[in-house]
Structures are given as C-alpha cells and as structure tokens.
Amino acid sequence: MSKIILKNERELNGMRDAGRVAANIRVAVAREIAPGVTTRALDLYARDLIEKAGARSAFINYPGPRGVPPFPSYTCISVNEEVVHGVAGDRKIQLGDIVSIDIGVVYRGFIGDNAMTVMVGVTDPKIIALVRTAEQALENAIAQAVAGNRLGDISHAVESTCKARGFTVVRDFVGHGVGRKMHEPPQIFNYGPPGKGPVLREGMTLAIEPMVNLGSHEVRTLSDGWTVVTRDRLPSVHVEHSVAVHEGGAEILTLAEEETR
Ligand code: MG
C-alpha cells in the first residue's frame, strides 16, 4: 500500500478552508431539497454556489473506468435506492424520499469532501432509523480517528454500529485519504476487525463515509456507468465528513458555519 500523506499545519489550514467551503455548500443545497425539485436543479444550484465560492467541483469530469464517460454532474445526488454517485437528471424529489448529497470541491489546491442524507417528509420509522444509524456510525467512526488508534478501528466502528441495529454496510465502495487529491491512500473500509491496519498519525486527513443499507449490502451500477443502486432496490444512506487526525482526537474539517455555532 502506498504511503499515507501527512499534512503540516499550513496544509491543514488549506484543508480547513476547503472543508468549510464544501460544508457550507452541502448545507445550502440540503435546504433546497423539496418535493417537485429535480436532481438537476439541485446540481446546478450547487454549481453556482461552488463558482461563487471561488472553488470548483472535484466530481465533474472525474475519469470513469474503461469505457465509461467522465462523471457528468457537479455533485452526486443519490435518491432512495441510489447509494452513491447519482447522476443529476429529471428525477423529481417526492415526499417520503431520502436524498443523499455528496459535495466535493477543490479550493486553493485542497479538497473538501462531505455528504449528508436529507429526509423529505419521511414518516416510515425504519427509514428514520436507517438515517439516524448512519449518522451515528459516522460519529462513532470519527471518535476513533485519533492518533495511536488503527485504521481498522474506524472501519469497525461503522460496521458494529450498523449491525447492532440490523442494517448492512456497503462493501464495494470505501472512504479514503483526502488532501491535494480527492482520493489518496488509505482506502477506508466500512467493515472489518478493530486493531488492524496502519496506525493513525497526527496530520492524516481522511474522508470517512458510511454507506448503509436497509436490506442487503449488495449493490450494482446502472447502465450510465456511475449511479450505484442497491441490488434489492431498498433505500440506502450515505453520510461523510473529511477529518484530520490529532493526538487528542479527530477534527471535523467539513462543518458548515451554522453547524459550529
Ligand atoms: Mg469521498
């Protein structure tokens, strides 16, 4: 495995700035999610905010695997059975939907990457529990992102939180190191034993992103080459923060101004 890049204080400041931009846009786009709004309208709204912030989307034109065109949207918007990498289009948000928005920006040479899942008038207690569990899994995982712990402690925190409530975690997609590039080493699995993997060190910056399913953990990719859906078409939740590892604990880099008050 290639080496995990440690960031010095100047680089961490760059990550803080980029994280703040990504988080503010995440919260602003979340506020626009409502019945009747298309995913394309949300994506274009995000595009305008990204531009206004002096940043650019880290997602658009991201190279695809062999034979797949580059990613066509500014954000990833994934509704209900869509897990991650949803492509913006004509799909209209409906009452009862859950909508995951993933915002990745490049700002002054650094990446901010974060996601949240918004419930649109959801009343089904199973789906509410699914969303809350994914959020709790992320919180528990972040609590493990402390210097001296091991990477597997983060993975295990996600898996054990979800398993305890009867939900499954996606195995085919992972979190990642983040910095000047969106995807740096290491890969961060959402499952696995604690106490394994590289030791976490001061200055590591990680994008931790639980993807949690109501039904089976199995996923497939649609014919657009990007949109990942659950195989059983049951709902899936995606939440993500970029964090910095410190001696005393993790620092969340992707909190919006209104979330820090
Ligand atoms: Mg990510």
Side-chain angles (χ1 to χ4, degrees):
M1 185 157 66
S2 41
K3 222 166 150 18
I4 302 173
I5 301 164
L6 301 181
K7 278 79 179 179
N8 62 29
E9 195 54 31
R10 191 182 56 80
E11 291 165 322
L12 283 177
N13 278 330
M15 292 296 292
R16 289 178 181 116
D17 292 342
R20 177 62 60 90
V21 168
N24 286 339
I25 292 167
R26 167 178 55 77
V27 165
V29 174
R31 224 181 273 123
E32 296 298 307
I33 296 174
V37 176
T38 65
T39 56
R40 181 176 289 113
L42 294 170
D43 190 57
L44 295 179
Y45 181 70
R47 174 198 65 186
D48 292 348
L49 292 178
I50 292 168
E51 191 179 324
K52 224 181 276 175
R56 63 184 173 81
S57 165
F59 296 164
I60 194 159
N61 293 326
Y62 196 86
R66 214 184 154 78
V68 172
F71 190 73
S73 307
Y74 296 90
T75 62
C76 300
I77 303 175
S78 308
V79 182
N80 296 342
E81 77 286 353
E82 295 173 350
V83 179
V84 287
H85 306 162
V87 170
D90 296 329
R91 185 172 183 165
K92 279 191 176 135
I93 307 300
Q94 296 180 21
L95 210 58
D97 281 352
I98 54 172
V99 183
S100 305
I101 48 171
D102 191 347
I103 306 288
V105 302
V106 191
Y107 181 72
R108 297 184 181 170
F110 290 94
I111 303 276
D113 189 8
N114 68 167
M116 73 190 294
T117 297
V118 176
M119 292 188 271
V120 185
V122 172
T123 54
D124 184 338
K126 285 198 306 286
I127 296 180
I128 295 170
L130 179 70
V131 173
R132 296 300 173 226
T133 297
E135 291 168 347
Q136 187 64 55
L138 177 58
E139 193 178 321
N140 293 350
I142 291 169
Q144 295 298 321
V146 184
N149 278 3
R150 285 177 182 268
L151 190 62
D153 297 328
I154 293 175
S155 306
H156 180 73
V158 175
E159 183 183 29
S160 58
T161 305
C162 298
K163 211 171 163 183
R165 312 227 178 132
F167 302 122
T168 62
V169 295
V170 171
R171 303 170 82 89
D172 294 0
F173 293 87
V174 296
H176 48 92
V178 60
R180 291 183 182 276
K181 285 194 180 154
M182 184 158 66
H183 295 119
E184 294 183 351
Q187 294 195 329
I188 307 173
F189 290 87
N190 286 312
Y191 62 94
K196 304 277 186 196
V199 175
L200 301 178
R201 301 207 184 285
E202 175 80 34
M204 288 182 179
T205 46
L206 309 171
I208 303 173
E209 45 183 322
M211 292 152 250
V212 187
N213 293 356
L214 184 62
S216 158
H217 70 87
E218 288 185 299
V219 299
R220 63 177 297 259
T221 303
L222 297 184
S223 58
D224 63 19
W226 286 105
T227 309
V228 176
V229 297
T230 54
R231 209 173 173 122
D232 55 19
R233 299 299 197 274
L234 290 173
S236 180
V237 173
H238 179 217
V239 290
E240 176 181 27
H241 272 306
S242 300
V243 307
V245 174
H246 297 297
E247 298 290 341
E251 173 189 2
I252 303 177
L253 301 166
T254 42
L255 287 176
E257 268 148 54
E258 68 178 65
E259 292 170 323
T260 56
R261 271 183 227 130

